[in-house]
């Protein structure tokens, strides 16, 4: 028994090592004084300095963040209202049909989404660039928002809404005072997922970006095709730190919300028992 | 009634414009030649050309290898993690690498696998001598499997997590050995997770064109690479769309074979 335990631990350690080594390797060489990823000649910040002096790269980072923030915001709005609408549909078959259509972009390979959007934009005569990238990112983020928000709406009891109406709330009041607060965690999760989808996307953006406009993923791809450039390593270290902060922040936020809920429930219980 | 329409207008507009229209357009485009004439020639060429058929077969074959490898590594991993004390934390550590941009991970392997890279250093150190690793089929399969493993672990872990432990106890009480319990109880009950993982890995593996370009050199051509080539390099959108339709068909076949759970094991629950 004891020997088996060791063997299984060894296996897990190996899997985790393989998962993390390439990432740590990238980060390690970002501090290399030399110019390659095979010989560490000494510690240096020089690649970070080059990165911060690279105005082209900085404007690409800004573009990427603007696209992510905007597309996630608009996708969250459309997706949340879409989910609210879907929930009101009484016909089971219609609801299932819409949900299948919703999931088309979730399961389609990126290349198909990219290629079909490229045909679509060309067909409509939309110029490739910021606009087409933003529209595409909104489009592929909407289904994930719907999938995050819909379960929260389904969880919420209809009685609450009926009670709000009975107490004289208008439709708008019922929506903003009862429904939206109840589904806020879902909306947050949806926004967060949409945001990371947008930051991470390469294939779709690559198809619809045209010539003048570029996002981080596309830029990394074109630099990687030219070979090793330790400025990319420096960039990846920063991106790793940012994703750690994002994930950590997101988990802290959901924990905080949950504990707040528990506190509230406890307080309510105490009040009732008194 | 009225408010329902107001809620759904932008959403329905999205379905019409960004779900139905693009898919219809890719089908429409597949019937046009490079000069803009309506024709079935793309399909005829595809079905009669040994180059395209071989490429499709190769692409499916590679995707199958990647999926099976990912499954072979992921199932034990998910199983072992499920038995750890802080399993949610360990799962988070599995998911974390999926938050790193896919291109950066691929880029790391360009360094690792290069002629003087660390892997070759290691091989020389153990006395195996250096090899050409980058731009081979094996390196492509390795990197693609590396990228896809978390997407396989996640659904399998979830199905193991949902598994009622009393079923395993019951099986033991009824005299089953560890192996029998595993084969007759655990594996069948986690099949939905395996199927979901299969879907989540196989379909993207057919279309990973950036990894074939960066790691496989131009030796490995998958359906995705061919589509990218036709759309962005040779500008033959008709043929590109035809291959796209083939890829969509392949996707439907896979989804049909692995049906019963529809959610893709995404990054986070």
């Amino acid at each position: 028994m004891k020997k088996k335990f060791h063997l299984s631990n060894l296996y897990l350690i190996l899997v985790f090592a393989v998962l993390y080594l390439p990432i740590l390797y990238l980060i390690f060489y970002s501090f290399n004084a030399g110019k390659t990823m095979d010989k560490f000649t000494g510690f240096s910040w020089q690649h970070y300095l080059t990165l911060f002096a690279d105005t082209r790269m900085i404007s690409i980072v800004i573009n990427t963040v603007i696209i992510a923030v905007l597309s996630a915001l608009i996708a969250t709005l459309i997706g949340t209202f879409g989910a609210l609408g879907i929930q009101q549909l009484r016909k089971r078959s219609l609801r299932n049909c819409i949900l299948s259509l919703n999931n088309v972009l979730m399961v389609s390979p990126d290349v198909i989404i990219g290629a079909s959007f490229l045909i679509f934009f060309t067909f409509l005569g939309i110029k490739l660039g910021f606009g087409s990238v933003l529209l595409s990112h909104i489009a592929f983020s909407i289904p994930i928002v719907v999938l995050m928000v819909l379960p929260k709406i389904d969880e919420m009891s209809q009685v609450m809404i009926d009670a709000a109406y009975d107490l004289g709330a208008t439709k708008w009041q019922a929506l903003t005072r009862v429904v939206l607060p109840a589904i806020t965690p879902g909306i947050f999760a949806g926004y967060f997922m949409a945001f990371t989808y947008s930051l991470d996307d390469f294939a779709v953006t690559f198809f619809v970006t045209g010539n003048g406009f570029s996002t981080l993923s596309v830029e990394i791809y074109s630099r990687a095709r030219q070979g090793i450039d330790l400025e990319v390593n420096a960039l990846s270290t920063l991106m790793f730190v940012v994703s750690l902060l994002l994930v950590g922040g997101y988990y802290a936020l959901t924990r905080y919300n949950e504990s707040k809920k528990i506190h509230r429930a406890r307080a309510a219980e105490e009040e009732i028992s008194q | 009634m009225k408010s329902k329409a107001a809620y759904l207008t932008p959403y329905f507009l999205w379905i019409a414009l960004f779900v139905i229209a693009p898919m219809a357009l890719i089908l429409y485009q597949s019937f046009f030649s490079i000069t803009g004439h309506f024709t079935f020639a793309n399909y005829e060429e595809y079905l009669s050309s040994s180059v395209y058929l071989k490429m499709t077969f190769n692409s499916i074959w590679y995707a199958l290898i990647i999926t099976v490898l990912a499954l072979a590594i992921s199932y034990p991993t998910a199983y072992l993690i499920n038995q750890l004390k802080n399993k949610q934390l360990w799962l988070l550590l599995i998911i974390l690498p999926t938050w790193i941009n896919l291109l950066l991970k691929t880029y790391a392997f360009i360094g690792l696998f290069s002629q003087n890279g660390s892997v070759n250093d290691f091989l020389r150190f153990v006395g195996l001598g250096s090899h050409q690793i980058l731009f081979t089929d094996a390196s492509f399969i390795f990197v693609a499997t590396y990228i896809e493993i978390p997407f396989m672990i996640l659904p399998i872990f979830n199905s193991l997590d949902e598994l009622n432990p009393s079923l395993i106890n019951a099986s033991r009480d009824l005299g089953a050995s560890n192996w029998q319990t595993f084969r007759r109880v655990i594996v069948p009950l986690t099949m939905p997770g395996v199927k979901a993982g299969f879907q989540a890995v196989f379909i993207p593996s057919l279309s990973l064109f950036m990894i074939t370009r960066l790691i496989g050199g131009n030796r490995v051509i998958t359906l995705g690479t061919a589509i990218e080539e036709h759309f962005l390099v040779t500008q033959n959108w008709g043929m590109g769309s035809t291959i796209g339709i083939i890829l969509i068909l392949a996707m439907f076949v896979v989804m049909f074979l692995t049906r019963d759970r529809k959610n893709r094991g995404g990054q986070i629950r």
Side-chain angles (χ1 to χ4, degrees):
Chain A
M1 198 61 207
K2 202 160 184 208
K3 204 177 167 202
K4 203 174 160 195
F5 174 77
H6 278 293
L7 214 69
S8 66
N9 272 7
L10 188 72
Y11 181 77
L12 275 186
I13 290 169
L14 205 71
V15 169
F16 276 102
V18 171
L19 272 183
Y20 279 91
L21 268 180
I23 299 162
L24 298 178
Y25 174 81
L26 270 187
I27 294 174
F28 178 69
Y29 275 102
S30 72
F31 300 105
N32 187 5
K35 285 209 175 305
T36 56
M37 265 210 269
D38 42 44
K39 229 181 250 125
F40 195 82
T41 50
F43 182 87
S44 129
W45 290 103
Q46 73 176 74
H47 303 294
Y48 290 87
L49 295 177
T50 334
L51 180 66
F52 291 132
D54 188 343
T55 48
R56 179 185 150 80
M57 192 59 115
I58 287 170
S59 74
I60 287 173
V61 170
I62 294 171
N63 281 339
T64 312
V65 173
I66 290 176
I67 292 268
V69 170
L70 271 183
S71 70
L73 190 69
I74 299 170
T76 308
L77 273 174
I78 298 177
T80 304
F81 281 103
L84 285 169
I86 291 174
Q87 206 270 335
Q88 289 183 0
L89 295 174
R90 289 285 162 262
K91 247 204 211 145
R92 199 85 208 149
S93 56
L94 182 64
R95 185 186 154 122
N96 284 342
C97 171
I98 290 178
L99 280 180
S100 314
L101 282 172
N102 183 66
N103 290 353
V104 166
L105 292 187
M106 297 287 301
V107 292
S108 300
D110 296 347
V111 230
I112 296 291
I113 301 176
S116 63
F117 282 6
L118 174 62
I119 303 175
F120 176 70
F121 289 132
T122 319
F123 197 76
L124 289 184
I126 294 174
K127 215 174 135 268
L128 297 182
F130 178 82
S132 62
V133 173
L134 181 65
L135 281 174
S136 313
H137 283 218
I138 295 170
F140 69 64
S141 301
I142 287 175
I144 186 68
V145 176
V146 172
L147 289 185
M148 290 282 163
V149 175
L150 200 54
K152 294 283 171 210
I153 304 178
D154 284 337
E155 256 172 39
M156 193 179 61
S157 78
Q158 183 65 36
V159 181
M160 301 275 279
I161 304 166
D162 292 341
Y165 285 138
D166 284 351
L167 292 168
T170 60
K171 273 209 161 124
W172 175 251
Q173 282 171 327
L175 178 70
T176 53
R177 300 288 180 83
V178 180
V179 179
L180 287 182
I183 61 172
T184 304
I187 298 175
F188 261 123
Y191 182 87
F192 182 71
M193 292 301 291
F195 184 79
T196 56
Y197 267 38
S198 168
L199 276 189
D200 262 1
D201 178 71
F202 164 70
V204 178
T205 314
F206 189 63
F207 272 88
V208 299
T209 190
N211 277 330
F213 188 75
S214 185
T215 65
L216 258 181
S217 300
V218 176
E219 179 71 10
I220 295 168
Y221 177 74
S222 56
R223 292 209 182 190
R225 289 203 79 171
Q226 288 154 19
I228 304 295
D229 177 356
L230 292 190
E231 197 186 326
V232 176
N233 291 52
L235 182 68
S236 65
T237 310
L238 296 180
M239 285 173 78
F240 183 67
V241 172
V242 170
S243 13
L244 273 184
L245 289 177
L246 271 177
V247 179
Y250 178 73
Y251 270 81
L253 201 73
T254 46
R255 276 278 160 79
Y256 173 73
N257 274 338
E258 261 161 37
S259 69
K260 212 165 66 177
K261 236 190 241 165
I262 292 166
H263 275 298
R264 233 190 254 160
R266 269 202 204 126
E269 258 168 37
E270 272 163 24
E271 239 167 64
I272 289 165
S273 64
Q274 270 165 11
Chain B
M1 208 55 204
K2 217 173 172 189
S3 71
K4 195 193 291 178
Y7 282 165
L8 281 172
T9 313
Y11 182 71
F12 276 164
L13 214 62
W14 165 75
I15 287 189
L17 285 177
F18 287 96
V19 180
I20 298 173
M23 291 299 154
L25 279 171
I26 204 168
L27 184 67
Y28 173 81
Q29 187 77 46
S30 71
F31 291 111
F32 283 86
S33 69
I34 196 163
T35 49
H37 293 290
F38 183 86
T39 169
F40 289 101
N42 292 324
Y43 287 94
E44 278 165 24
E45 194 188 336
Y46 177 85
L47 291 171
S48 62
S49 144
S50 64
V51 179
Y52 283 122
L53 289 177
K54 211 175 141 212
M55 178 272 294
T56 309
F57 176 77
N58 270 340
S59 181
I60 292 172
W61 179 236
Y62 280 125
L64 202 63
I65 296 176
I66 292 164
T67 314
V68 170
L69 274 178
L71 179 62
I73 297 167
S74 300
Y75 201 100
T77 311
Y79 185 83
L80 292 172
I81 288 177
N82 192 46
Q83 294 183 327
L84 293 177
K85 223 182 281 159
N86 295 315
K87 52 182 175 181
Q88 291 299 337
L89 182 73
W90 290 104
L91 185 71
L92 184 65
L93 284 177
I94 292 280
I95 300 169
L96 195 63
T98 65
W99 296 82
I100 312 293
N101 197 303
L102 176 138
L103 288 151
L104 287 178
K105 286 182 280 187
T106 313
Y107 169 76
F109 283 101
I110 300 179
L112 277 165
F113 285 167
S114 65
Q115 207 54 249
N116 295 311
S118 304
V119 173
N120 265 328
D121 278 348
F122 178 76
L123 287 179
R124 269 193 295 265
F125 177 73
V126 282
L128 288 171
S130 63
H131 296 272
Q132 172 69 34
I133 307 175
L134 208 58
F135 308 135
T136 59
D137 299 3
S139 64
F140 164 69
I141 290 169
F142 185 92
V143 175
T145 310
Y146 169 82
I147 300 231
E148 297 293 349
I149 278 177
F151 297 106
M152 184 65 100
I153 294 181
L154 198 61
I156 296 176
F157 175 86
N158 285 338
S159 64
L160 281 164
D161 200 29
E162 283 164 15
L163 190 72
N164 189 346
S166 51
L167 290 171
I168 294 163
N169 291 335
S171 151
R172 295 240 166 86
D173 286 350
L174 291 168
S177 67
N178 275 345
W179 170 247
Q180 278 172 323
T181 308
F182 180 72
R183 217 181 74 90
R184 298 292 173 90
V185 179
I186 299 176
V187 169
L189 284 174
T190 52
M191 263 333 252
V194 172
K195 283 177 174 173
F198 195 95
Q199 244 185 53
V201 173
F202 190 84
I203 298 170
S205 300
L206 287 172
S207 59
L208 286 170
F209 73 88
M210 43 290 193
I211 301 176
T212 59
R213 289 264 191 249
L214 293 174
I215 301 288
N218 284 330
R219 287 174 46 85
V220 185
I221 309 256
T222 61
L223 287 170
T225 323
I227 294 170
E228 188 252 356
E229 175 103 21
H230 281 102
F231 267 93
L232 300 177
V233 183
T234 61
Q235 300 282 331
N236 185 355
W237 287 16
M239 196 64 214
S241 301
T242 305
I243 302 171
I245 295 295
I246 304 288
L247 180 54
I248 292 174
L249 287 179
M251 180 183 98
F252 279 128
V253 171
V254 173
M255 283 171 61
F256 179 76
L257 292 176
T258 57
R259 73 191 169 256
D260 100 30
R261 241 201 174 183
K262 31 185 172 178
N263 51 330
R264 183 187 200 273
Q267 290 174 315
I268 214 168
R269 270 204 293 173

